[in-house]
Amino acid sequence: MFIYEKKLQYPVRIKNPNPRLAAIVISQYGGPDGELGASLRYLSQRYSMPFDELKGLLTDIGTEELGHLEMVGAIVHQLTRNLKECQMKDSAFAPYFVDHTVGVYPTAASGFPWTAASMAVKGDPITDLTEDLAAEQKARTTYDNILRLSDDPDVNDVIKFLREREIVHFQRFGEAIELLREKLDRKNVYYMNPALGR
């Protein structure tokens, strides 16, 4: 069961509208390495994780990623509220505006809509945790790229917070792989998916 707290994990207070920047930041909402995919990846992987501590870790991080999704959505919303007509016509934002006006829609900056094909859930704990390490690094890289393109200090403040959380998650998944290996070694087994009867 999830309990929704009516506040963001970190405050988002964007003063100046900037649809061009919103068209870039949206990638962390619904792009291939964004927060939507991360949250669903981890919350789905937890079901086949054989140890409670690791299920708990995936649940905790997956839930936090839902909070990050909300933060990125708030950035995009605040960057696109109260736009002037000339801002709506900005060539970087106009294609998005045609399809979604100023709604927050899960898509990549390239315009490709979110798809579950961008995430992996294999049911093997080593494979899934290794995928999670890569996912966190890819998200960190996307945040780095946003920081390279953004000159808005309000946006950059939130993006830096989110980037740091990706680093923490990467470390936690690294620790999880070590814990998994220790547990498997203690049992003196090579893990195979129990659903396959091996």
Side-chain angles (χ1 to χ4, degrees):
M1 175 175 75
F2 292 94
I3 299 171
Y4 178 72
E5 191 172 339
K6 295 182 181 181
K7 70 175 191 170
L8 298 176
Q9 184 182 11
Y10 190 86
V12 177
R13 295 186 187 98
I14 313 299
K15 292 183 220 53
N16 301 311
N18 185 336
R20 183 176 288 266
L21 185 53
I24 294 166
V25 173
I26 195 71
S27 226
Q28 276 305 95
Y29 191 79
D33 306 315
E35 303 294 355
L36 177 59
S39 61
L40 292 177
R41 174 187 296 112
Y42 308 147
L43 292 173
S44 297
Q45 288 174 348
R46 68 190 173 143
Y47 292 104
S48 58
M49 196 55 64
F51 301 106
D52 288 342
E53 304 98 310
L54 299 176
K55 285 180 185 180
L57 176 70
L58 287 165
T59 302
D60 290 347
I61 294 177
T63 302
E64 183 178 351
E65 299 289 12
L66 286 172
H68 295 172
L69 178 71
E70 185 177 34
M71 290 170 63
V72 173
I75 294 170
V76 171
H77 169 70
Q78 291 179 26
L79 286 170
T80 58
R81 67 180 172 202
N82 304 319
L83 293 180
K84 298 175 184 155
E85 190 170 333
C86 63
Q87 291 174 310
M88 293 173 203
K89 293 178 179 179
D90 183 297
S91 62
F93 184 69
Y96 181 92
F97 184 81
V98 166
D99 290 337
H100 312 292
T101 62
V102 294
V104 179
Y105 177 76
T107 187
S110 64
F112 193 79
W114 185 82
T115 173
S118 65
M119 57 180 253
V121 178
K122 296 303 272 182
D124 177 83
I126 294 288
T127 303
D128 284 346
L129 290 172
T130 303
E131 157 74 14
D132 299 344
L133 285 169
E136 293 298 324
Q137 284 297 88
K138 290 185 286 184
R140 184 202 47 81
T141 300
T142 302
Y143 282 127
D144 285 342
N145 292 339
I146 291 169
L147 289 169
R148 287 183 182 102
L149 297 171
S150 171
D151 61 358
D152 186 317
D154 296 332
V155 172
N156 293 352
D157 179 54
V158 181
I159 296 298
K160 287 175 184 175
F161 171 82
L162 291 166
R163 181 190 180 281
E164 289 303 314
R165 295 307 301 159
E166 303 299 345
I167 293 168
V168 170
H169 295 166
F170 179 85
Q171 293 167 339
R172 299 277 314 276
F173 284 130
E175 294 164 2
I177 288 175
E178 291 305 311
L179 177 62
L180 178 63
R181 287 185 177 139
E182 288 172 20
K183 287 182 167 290
L184 294 176
D185 285 347
R186 264 187 256 137
K187 287 186 166 193
N188 199 22
V189 297
Y190 174 76
Y191 181 80
M192 295 301 285
N193 189 330
L196 300 176
R198 297 185 231 163

